[in-house]
């Protein structure tokens, strides 16, 4: 549905980028913790971990259970795999975060590469919780 919606808004998403995004994100993919070079401690959790805590509800009780299980956490970040167009000049990615009831945001981004630099061309979908 986002393909049609954004065509109407004049957003030009290369079909090969959309197809690559959908193909890559149609299957589960395990991340390697060593791939992240961050100045903080991280834990990788799965969709199944989140489902076992939240059961589709983002209420206070579920967040209490989340922070009991991950006491040093400030919430979590969700990342999609990146879908690239054939020329690798356009990319689609989903980034979201949640930190409590009514706290977090989601971004579905269209990125473009020009002169060797990636920039956000359009935030296709943004939503803040809180």
């Amino acid at each position: 549905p986002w393909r049609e919606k954004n065509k109407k808004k004049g957003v030009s998403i290369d079909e090969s980028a959309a197809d690559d995004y959908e193909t890559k994100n149609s299957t589960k993919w395990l991340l390697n913790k060593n791939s992240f070079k961050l100045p903080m401690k991280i834990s990788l959790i799965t969709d199944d971990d989140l489902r076992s805590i939240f059961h589709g509800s983002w209420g206070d009780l579920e967040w209490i259970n989340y922070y009991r299980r991950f006491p040093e956490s400030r919430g979590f970040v969700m990342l999609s795999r990146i879908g690239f167009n054939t020329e690798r000049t356009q990319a689609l990615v989903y980034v979201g975060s949640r930190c409590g009831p009514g706290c977090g945001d989601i971004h579905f981004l269209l990125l473009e590469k020009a002169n060797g630099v990636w920039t956000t061309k359009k935030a296709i979908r943004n939503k803040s919780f809180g």
Side-chain angles (χ1 to χ4, degrees):
W2 55 265
R3 289 181 195 233
E4 293 306 316
K5 183 169 131 178
N6 287 296
K7 282 182 185 174
K8 293 176 187 173
K9 291 182 179 180
V11 176
S12 179
I13 299 172
D14 187 309
E15 288 294 320
S16 64
D19 292 342
D20 189 49
Y21 177 88
E22 290 175 354
T23 298
K24 286 180 177 172
N25 288 286
S26 66
T27 58
K28 291 185 179 188
W29 185 264
L30 291 177
L31 294 173
N32 181 338
K33 192 174 181 177
N34 296 327
S35 298
F36 294 89
K37 309 286 189 247
L38 300 171
M40 67 201 64
K41 178 183 171 187
I42 65 167
S43 297
L44 298 179
I45 60 176
T46 66
D47 287 343
D48 292 338
D49 293 326
L50 291 176
R51 275 194 280 286
S52 73
I53 295 168
F54 291 101
H55 307 290
S57 174
W58 299 97
D60 291 333
L61 181 59
E62 289 80 12
W63 279 103
I64 289 168
N65 290 333
Y66 174 83
Y67 284 115
R68 281 186 184 144
R69 185 162 172 196
F70 302 102
E72 296 179 26
S73 173
R74 294 186 182 140
F76 58 86
V77 175
M78 302 164 285
L79 302 168
S80 72
R81 294 187 65 199
I82 301 171
F84 293 98
N85 68 340
T86 307
E87 296 81 21
R88 296 186 76 78
T89 57
Q90 193 176 79
L92 295 169
V93 65
Y94 167 84
V95 180
S97 68
R98 294 300 298 253
C99 47
C103 176
D105 51 45
I106 61 171
H107 306 279
F108 190 77
L109 305 173
L110 171 63
L111 308 175
E112 286 195 353
K113 186 177 184 180
N115 300 319
V117 178
W118 285 100
T119 57
T120 302
K121 175 75 173 178
K122 176 82 174 163
I124 297 170
R125 191 177 293 160
N126 282 324
K127 182 176 181 178
S128 291
F129 304 99

